[in-house]
Amino acid sequence: MMLPTHAIAGLAIATPLLVLAPDHASVALAGGLVGGVLPDLDLYSGHRRTLHYPSGYTLAALPSAGFAAILQTPLLIALTFVLIGAALHCRMDRYGGGLELRPWEATSERAVYDHVRGRWRSPKRWILYDGSPADVGLMVFVGAPLFVVLDGPFRWVVAAALLTGATYGLLRRRLAALAPVVFGNVPDSIAAHVPDRYRQ
């Protein structure tokens, strides 16, 4: 799924704290947002493997959540939501398409690397590809209520994610056709850092 969907999902998991623990809601929202986008920082270096830990984030979140519930320090609360957001991100990637430039062709059986099992998990393709109409629909379904209930900078993050995601969704297939043309004509010094899927 696309990054704006992950960002909105990260915010969504922390939003109940607006009612349950309003004093900790801001730090939880910030943590959820960071966790929602953190795994995709590996986009150009071992994407869906280097920073994607579908089991690891979940296992780390359990004790963190326990300590956060007892001690209720801002750092532990933020850390807990970073880990939960990152775990959710990895799970969502498994429900999407494979790791390929044109996932609607379903040529890749690599969704997310599972470091615990030492193998790639296959995509379920419930949402066919990042930027698909279903992906945009999910983003809007979760993001629209968040835009209403959140305020301050978090509302602007949601607005930016919705706008970016909708635009990306409109351009997704064109970008897939354009990428090999663009990256096929870059200097060799840059081409060495371009993932293979962008040069297909």
Side-chain angles (χ1 to χ4, degrees):
M1 292 179 209
M2 59 185 170
L3 190 60
T5 306
H6 289 304
I8 284 175
L11 288 169
I13 59 171
T15 299
L17 268 70
L18 290 171
V19 174
L20 300 175
D23 291 344
H24 301 299
S26 291
V27 71
L29 286 163
L33 176 62
V34 169
V37 301
L38 173 69
D40 273 352
L41 294 180
D42 69 8
L43 185 62
Y44 289 99
S45 178
H47 187 43
R48 294 194 186 176
R49 181 173 182 159
T50 306
L51 293 177
H52 284 64
Y53 296 91
S55 301
Y57 290 128
T58 303
L59 293 173
L62 295 173
S64 180
F67 285 120
I70 294 167
L71 301 175
Q72 297 187 9
T73 66
L75 182 61
L76 275 173
I77 292 167
L79 176 62
T80 298
F81 279 92
V82 167
L83 294 169
I84 294 171
L88 177 61
H89 178 124
C90 295
R91 177 61 57 182
M92 289 170 68
D93 277 347
R94 176 99 194 272
Y95 294 147
L99 183 61
E100 56 209 315
L101 183 60
R102 294 175 291 277
W104 50 86
E105 295 176 356
T107 58
S108 172
E109 287 304 311
R110 293 181 169 191
V112 179
Y113 190 79
D114 187 339
H115 295 267
V116 172
R117 294 180 175 90
R119 63 179 175 83
W120 285 92
R121 290 188 178 186
S122 59
K124 292 186 179 288
R125 297 188 173 94
W126 294 356
I127 289 186
L128 215 52
Y129 59 92
D130 60 303
S132 69
D135 191 5
V136 174
L138 175 63
M139 176 193 66
V140 171
F141 179 75
V142 177
L146 290 181
F147 183 78
V148 173
V149 300
L150 298 178
D151 58 14
F154 296 113
R155 176 176 285 171
W156 290 110
V157 168
V158 172
L162 289 169
L163 180 61
T164 303
T167 304
Y168 178 75
L170 289 172
L171 300 175
R172 174 62 173 95
R173 288 185 178 245
R174 291 185 187 130
L175 291 172
L178 185 62
V181 175
V182 171
F183 292 115
N185 292 302
V186 298
D188 290 342
S189 59
I190 296 173
H193 302 286
V194 176
D196 290 339
R197 69 183 181 279
Y198 293 144
R199 289 179 279 170
Q200 295 171 351

